[in-house]
Amino acid sequence: MLMRTEPDAMIHSSIAREPDGGTPRWILADFDDTLAPGDSHAGLLRYLLRRRIWPLLLLPVIALGGLVYLVPSQRRRGISLIWWAITFGLSPLGWRKLVRDYCRTRPGLFRQARDLLQSEGARCWVISASPCALVRAQLYQQLPGQLPHRIIGSRMHYRFGGLMPRFYCQGQHKLLPEICALNAELALSDSLHDLPLLALGKEAWLINPTPERLQKARARLPQLMVKNWQL
């Protein structure tokens, strides 16, 4: 079967410059559980499964993908199996419609994240393991006309009749060359997987951490600041 590439672009861009014309001091932000509550990636997969129902026939493949995902070095293969089984036979038009429908069920942004994006969005890079189309759709719904400077997420493509990540933007994979080259003033995330990303910021915020997560994070990044955000 010929492979069809999902037409959604990975990156949305605008222009940001410092008043003196120099390079901006950038802000790097995770999305799920950082700018918005909950894991929208996992939520979308559950939503697709409920709406389509029949992929439950492929439950053994989904379960296998879950087991493979637990192996850190095999996460992309595991999530690919899950995505393929849940989206097998889904058309590009159906995919876009289901993403839009799912975004309408989401609770929105944390209040402090909304303030940050409204005031500093021109210098924000949002970097997420979720599909870029999903992150962009949520941000567009919450802040139409005010999307951040760039949105980078997992790139999806069609293979063997289903969707799967061609590039899975999680953990160390978020450290793309263009990200590492930035003059990052601030980095923020909720996840221990994002400690390498947080280390890029001159200032780093850990969003809504549990005491255990904070202890583990500060063992590697003692300068982390805690931010407790609410809807």
Side-chain angles (χ1 to χ4, degrees):
M1 180 177 294
L2 292 176
M3 183 175 66
R4 294 176 292 167
T5 302
E6 169 61 27
D8 291 315
M10 182 176 76
I11 296 172
H12 172 89
S13 296
S14 60
I15 297 174
R17 289 290 183 270
E18 290 292 275
D20 61 4
T23 303
R25 296 188 303 272
W26 297 105
I27 297 170
L28 311 179
D30 177 44
F31 183 78
D32 290 324
D33 273 324
T34 298
L35 299 180
D39 185 344
S40 66
H41 187 184
L44 175 61
L45 287 168
R46 291 191 294 268
Y47 182 82
L48 292 172
L49 195 55
R50 289 196 302 269
R51 289 290 297 270
R52 305 190 73 220
I53 303 296
W54 76 263
L56 284 171
L57 296 172
L58 297 173
L59 190 58
V61 179
I62 297 172
L64 176 62
L67 290 174
V68 173
Y69 183 82
L70 295 176
V71 182
S73 63
Q74 301 298 316
R75 283 197 172 120
R76 188 183 68 82
R77 289 186 173 88
I79 201 69
S80 292
L81 284 172
I82 295 170
W83 266 103
W84 178 84
I86 291 176
T87 63
F88 182 74
L90 181 63
S91 70
L93 184 63
W95 155 247
R96 288 190 288 269
K97 181 181 184 303
L98 285 168
V99 167
R100 288 194 301 269
D101 292 346
Y102 170 67
C103 287
R104 296 188 188 102
T105 73
R106 298 287 296 152
L109 302 171
F110 286 121
R111 182 173 64 252
Q112 296 88 343
R114 178 182 294 275
D115 292 343
L116 177 69
L117 290 171
Q118 286 178 327
S119 62
E120 304 291 350
R123 60 192 185 103
C124 285
W125 292 54
V126 176
I127 309 151
S128 175
S130 291
C132 188
L134 172 60
V135 177
R136 187 172 61 244
Q138 291 179 84
L139 287 169
Y140 182 81
Q141 178 175 284
Q142 295 299 317
L143 297 170
Q146 300 183 51
L147 291 179
H149 175 74
R150 296 187 81 174
I151 300 169
I152 298 178
S154 295
R155 287 179 290 183
M156 309 300 293
H157 70 155
Y158 278 94
R159 195 169 187 187
F160 308 122
L163 274 165
M164 59 178 68
R166 179 171 54 187
F167 167 68
Y168 187 40
C169 188
Q170 191 204 41
Q172 289 282 350
H173 297 291
K174 291 185 177 183
L175 301 184
L176 298 167
E178 59 265 41
I179 300 295
C180 294
L182 294 174
N183 176 23
E185 179 179 17
L186 170 65
L188 56 150
S189 177
D190 73 296
S191 175
L192 296 179
H193 293 303
D194 286 340
L195 290 179
L197 184 72
L198 290 171
L200 295 179
K202 293 181 176 66
E203 187 172 319
W205 295 354
L206 194 62
I207 308 300
N208 295 343
T210 62
E212 180 182 5
R213 192 188 314 150
L214 178 60
Q215 182 179 15
K216 289 180 179 179
R218 279 193 168 153
R220 293 176 57 185
L221 290 177
Q223 74 273 24
L224 276 174
M225 297 178 63
V226 173
K227 299 292 179 178
N228 293 302
W229 286 3
Q230 300 174 337
L231 283 172

